[in-house]
């Protein structure tokens, strides 16, 4: 354990299955309902978001998860990273991401682990020409999401 990095990384002393994490990460790409990866949901607000890229790579002795998307739900990064960590350590099967993305009832969700925020770093924010607010979509907009 490196005390110089302890505030900035989530330390896990055992090896992770990087290949399983990478396969699972590819299932997150696209437009999905991220209800199972959310923290607090305001009733009537949409949890549908679009992720353009999710990559998992090893950099020296660290595993980096890079996520690019249109918008994010509160707690989404910590739960997505936690789900990938669960898969990497063998606590969840590789196809668990697909199952979580298909969950629509909060009471039936087997919630992913929430990793501590110490390892999260916001790298960049880019706005398009005419950014659209994602969190103000109404619940009726969820009906347009393909199952």
């Amino acid at each position: 354990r490196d005390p110089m990095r302890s505030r900035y990384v989530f330390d896990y002393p055992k090896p992770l299955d990087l290949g399983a994490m990478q396969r699972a990460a590819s299932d997150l790409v696209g437009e999905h309902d991220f209800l199972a990866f959310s923290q607090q949901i305001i009733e009537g607000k949409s949890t549908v978001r679009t992720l353009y890229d999710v990559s998992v790579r090893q950099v020296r002795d660290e595993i980096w998860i890079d996520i690019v998307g249109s918008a994010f739900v509160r707690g989404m990064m910590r739960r997505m990273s936690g789900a990938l960590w669960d898969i990497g350590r063998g606590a969840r099967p590789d196809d668990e991401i697909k199952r979580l993305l298909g969950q629509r009832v909060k009471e039936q969700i087997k919630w992913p682990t929430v990793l501590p925020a110490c390892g999260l770093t916001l790298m960049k924010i880019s706005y398009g020409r005419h950014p659209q607010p994602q969190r103000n979509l109404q619940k009726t907009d969820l009906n347009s999401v393909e199952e």
Side-chain angles (χ1 to χ4, degrees), residues 8 11-12 14 16 22 26 35-36 42 45 61 69 71 88 99 106 111-112 126 141:
Y8 308 104
D11 188 37
Y12 183 69
K14 297 178 183 175
L16 298 172
Q22 290 169 330
S26 68
L35 174 65
I42 299 169
K45 298 294 182 179
D61 62 338
R99 273 195 286 260
K106 286 201 256 187
W111 297 95
S126 298
D141 295 331

Side-chain angles (χ1 to χ4, degrees), residues 15-86:
L16 298 172
D17 184 346
L18 185 64
M21 293 173 74
Q22 290 169 330
R23 287 188 299 277
S26 68
D27 292 333
L28 290 165
V29 176
E31 183 176 281
H32 304 286
D33 186 344
F34 286 93
L35 174 65
F37 297 94
S38 62
Q39 182 179 345
Q40 293 176 325
I41 301 301
I42 299 169
E43 201 60 41
K45 298 294 182 179
S46 174
T47 53
V48 174
R49 301 292 187 266
T50 302
L51 297 185
Y52 303 114
D53 184 45
V54 180
S55 64
V56 180
R57 60 193 168 108
Q58 184 151 0
V59 178
R60 296 176 301 281
D61 62 338
E62 298 175 353
I63 292 183
W64 290 12
I65 301 170
D66 295 314
I67 301 170
V68 179
S70 62
F72 303 101
V73 179
R74 182 175 174 88
M76 187 171 158
M77 293 299 126
R78 292 173 66 181
R79 285 194 191 270
M80 281 193 307
S81 299
L84 293 172
W85 175 67
D86 284 343

Side-chain angles (χ1 to χ4, degrees), residues 66-142:
D66 295 314
I67 301 170
V68 179
S70 62
F72 303 101
V73 179
R74 182 175 174 88
M76 187 171 158
M77 293 299 126
R78 292 173 66 181
R79 285 194 191 270
M80 281 193 307
S81 299
L84 293 172
W85 175 67
D86 284 343
I87 290 167
R89 65 189 179 101
R92 289 181 185 256
D94 291 14
D95 62 348
E96 184 71 8
I97 298 293
K98 289 178 187 174
R99 273 195 286 260
L100 287 168
L101 289 171
Q103 294 293 323
R104 301 284 191 266
V105 181
K106 286 201 256 187
E107 292 76 27
Q108 296 175 356
I109 296 173
K110 183 182 171 194
W111 297 95
T113 300
V114 179
L115 290 183
C118 63
L120 296 179
T121 304
L122 176 63
M123 302 300 286
K124 181 180 179 182
I125 297 175
S126 298
Y127 293 103
R129 244 186 127 134
H130 304 286
Q132 300 294 317
Q134 298 290 313
R135 66 178 173 199
N136 293 330
L137 295 174
Q138 296 300 312
K139 197 168 195 160
T140 56
D141 295 331
L142 291 176

